[in-house]
Each structure stands twice: as C-alpha cells, then as structure tokens.
Amino acid sequence: MDILFFLLDAAVSAAVGAAIVYFVLKKSNKKTEEDAQQRAGEIIKNAEITAENIKKDRILEAKEKYLKLKAEFEDESNKKKQIILQNEQKIKQREQQLNQMTEQNKRRENELETLKKNLEQQTEVANKRREEAEKMHRSQVEQLERIANLTAEQAKAQLIDAIQADAQTQASAFIKNTIDEAKLTATKEAKKIVIETIQRTASEHAIENTVSVFNIESDDVKGKIIGREGRNIRALEAATGCEIIVDDTPEAIVISGFDPVRREIARLSLHRLVQDGRIHPARIEEVVAKTKKNIDDEIVEIGERTVIDLGVHGLHPELVKMIGRMRFRSSYGQNLLQHSREVARLCATMASELGLNAKLAKRAGLLHDIGKVWPEESELPHAILGMELAKKYKENPEVCNAIGAHHDEIEMTSMMSPIIQVCDAISGSRPGARREMMESYIQRLKDLEALATNFPGVDKCYAIQAGRELRVIVNSEAVNDEAAGKLSFDISQKIEKEMQYPGQIKVTVIREMRSVAYAK
C-alpha cells in the first residue's frame, strides 16, 4: 500500500512537473516568436528605407544625366545654328559680290560699246582723210608727169640707176685703191710673220702606226702567252680589243690595233704578265684592269706636264685630262698632242709678232683640237664640240671663238681666231706631218666598231686583222646561241649596206658563259 501511494505520489509529481515544463516552454516559444517577428519587421523597415534611398539616388543620377545630355544637345544645336547663320551670311556676301561684279561688267560692256563706236567713227574719219590724201597725191603725181613727160615709175628707175652707177664707180675706185695698198704691204708682212714664226718654232715629226712590237727574251714565253688551246691569247684580245700576233718572228710579239690607248694597255699588260710569270685568263683580266687604271693616271700626268711646259695655267682639271688623252690620239697620222703643242707655240709667236696677247693665243692653240678626244659619242664637228667644252669650263670668249672657228664652222669675232686657223694649217701641211690614208683607215675601223655596238645585247666590239675581222662579244644572258648566229648575220648585212671597204669582213660573235662561286 505504501508502495502504491509512493508510486501514485511519484506519478502525480511527474505529471505536475511535466505540466510546469509545458507551460514554461510554451511561454518561452511565444516570446521567441515575438522577437523574431519584431526583428523581421525591423529588417523589412530597413529594407524599405534602403530601397527608398536607392530609388532616390537613381532618380537623381537619371536627372543629372538627362540635364547633361540636354546641355550637350543644346550646345551642339547652338553650334550648328551658328554655322548655318555664318553660311547664310557668306552666301549673302557672295551674292552681293556677284551683284557688284555683274554691275561692273555691265558698266564695262557699256564703256566698250562706247569705245567701239568712237573707234568706228575715228576709223571712218581716217579713211576719209586717207582717201582725200591719196586723191591729192595722185593729182600731184599726174601734174608732175604732165610737166616732166615721165611716169613716177620711170622717174624712180632713172634716179635709182643714177645713184647705183655713182655708188659703183666710187666703190670700185675705193676697192681698187685698197687692194693695191694691201698688195704692197700685206703680202710682204704676212710672209715675214709666217717665216719668222716657223723658224722660231722647233717641230717634232711624229707618225703613229697601227702596230706595236713587244720584245721578249725567249721564244718559250710565246707558248705561255698563247696558253692551252689559245685561251690566254683569246682572253687578252677580248680584254684589250687588240689583235695579238704570235708568229715566227724571233723574240717579238706584234700588237695590232688602230686605237693607240688599247695598244699601250695591251703592251704594258703583256710586260707585267711576262715579268710575273702567272699567265691565265683570270690573271690577264686583273692585270688589264690595273693597267687601264695606270694609263688613266698617266693621262692626267701627261696633261699636267704639258700645261706646265707650255706655261698655260688655270685650266680646268677635265681639260687637263683631255690634253693628256691627246698623247694617245692621232690626226691623219700626226700625233695630236705634238700637233697641239706645235700649234700653241706657233700661235704664241705669231701673236707676239702682231702685238696681240701671246699667252691667250698659246692657250687657244693648245685647246683647238680638244673636241677630238671627248670620250663620248657626239654628232657635232670637233671644232664646235671643243668650243662647247671650253665654254662649259669657263674659258675666255676669244679662246672659245678661236676653237670653234678654226675650220670656218662659225664666224670669227677676234684677231685670235685667224691666227689659230693659220697655225693649224702650218702644222698640218708641213712635209711628213700627216698621212691622209692612215686617218681614213682608222676612221673606217671606228665606224665598223660603232656599227656593231649599236645592236642590242652587244657588250664589246673590236675590229682586228686590219679591219678584215670584227669580233663581237655579247652578253650571254641577253643573247642565246641561236640569237648569236642571227646577230652575226644581221651585222654582216648592215656592214654591206652602210660601209665601203676592200675585200671582205669576217664577223665573229663570241658568247661566253661564266659561272662564279666562292669557297669559304
């Protein structure tokens, strides 16, 4: 029983405790729910406040952007309006200008019309006056013809005949007297001056040949010069443009060519090759190139030495170089430099005899044939070309005229010109000075080379064998083997049509292919 009561008491206590716990928990949950609702209300309120602030900020930004765009639009509109106003103002100004020009043109047209009317009136008046004057003149002429029983043309012819007869009589008498006086003095003085000039000038006789002889110590050298299958001698002939003749002549090799410069280059090149002992095509080309450079230097040295010997100062360096080139040129077989030196001395002597400027005359005499050594092709006569060169290099006008007039191709304007002409004739006409056949022969070879050089693809051209053979070296890239055969035929046909020559001319076209590479 006690146990039962104890159990009941425990159960009641437990139920009371549970009820108490239930009521406590229920009250706590209610409070927590109220706190959560309160916090949610606060969060919602804060969110609404934040949203309202953000909305206000966005509205403000939108208003600011709108105002800014509106201001920019208004500025742009104002600028365009201003441009339109300016253009309208310019258009108005131009319209005003056009109106003014139109009015001016109308006024000028009116003025021109007025002038035209005045001119027509004046022309009519002038025509009337001319007609009246002609009538009066005819009337007077008719009266004079009636009085003199002669027409105006007959009277004019008689007057002209009388004046001509009188003038011819006086002119004939004057000419006769002048000629008689000139014959008494001029012939005697001219002979005296020429004889004294020739006697006072020492002349050298120089005849240029077309061959040079190269002496060798032993005939064994000939084999080296010829080379294997003649390759050395072919290379030498191609590089110099001269014919190398190796025959049975003991200890001698003949170099043939019409150009003295080429012959000298070939001779010096042979001398260097024989001394060096190395003779092959590459070495030959190298030596020939160096020799050409040395010859150019020698030409300048010869020119400088010549002007120093003659006392001619202040010449342009190009003129000095051309004077040096005269050493390797000839005129009708006469060495051109010796001829020019001789003419210079003759001119100085004759000018001093006549009381003229001897130094200027010597200068003109030295330069009178300078046109013959101009390296470029020219269609001008050598006297005119020399005059143009002298003008180019600022020579004295008297010297220029003397050069251009020494073959009567221009008019002589000073006493210096006939002196140059006379002294040139004296130097060229003395016995042994010139050979006409030599000059024509050399000219024929030059023309032969020039004719072939004008064909396309031709690099070099040399006339050898006294003009009986023409060797043409072509560019292997521009001319193939088939074209080379056609080229030789075309050149031979052109030679037949345009040139005169004895016998026949062999045309040889050489096409050489070279391939070069370097081993490093």
Side-chain angles (χ1 to χ4, degrees), residues 361-374:
K362 184 185 291 184
R363 193 183 193 95
L366 178 62
L367 299 175
H368 81 285
D369 272 346
I370 204 75
K372 290 185 177 180
V373 293
W374 179 242

Side-chain angles (χ1 to χ4, degrees), residues 270-325:
L270 268 176
H271 179 72
R272 292 179 179 179
L273 288 167
V274 170
Q275 279 189 335
D276 184 46
R278 294 176 295 165
I279 305 177
H280 52 82
R283 178 63 178 164
I284 287 171
E285 291 180 358
E286 180 184 352
V287 170
V288 169
K290 290 182 179 179
T291 304
K292 287 180 179 178
K293 177 65 170 58
N294 293 338
I295 288 293
D296 290 339
D297 295 339
E298 183 181 352
I299 285 172
V300 175
E301 184 181 350
I302 291 171
E304 291 174 349
R305 190 165 57 247
T306 300
V307 297
I308 290 172
D309 291 344
L310 293 175
V312 177
H313 304 292
L315 282 177
H316 192 277
E318 285 298 323
L319 291 179
V320 174
K321 186 176 180 180
M322 282 189 276
I323 290 171
R325 291 178 64 87

Side-chain angles (χ1 to χ4, degrees), residues 464-480:
I464 60 176
Q465 294 286 351
R468 292 190 296 273
E469 181 177 354
L470 182 65
R471 290 192 180 178
V472 182
I473 301 173
V474 298
N475 185 346
S476 60
E477 296 179 356
V479 180
N480 56 26

Side-chain angles (χ1 to χ4, degrees), residues 20-38:
I20 293 169
V21 169
Y22 170 76
F23 286 115
V24 171
L25 287 173
K26 185 176 180 182
K27 187 176 182 180
S28 176
N29 289 335
K30 186 176 181 181
K31 185 177 182 181
T32 302
E33 185 179 355
E34 290 176 355
D35 291 340
Q37 288 178 354
Q38 184 178 0

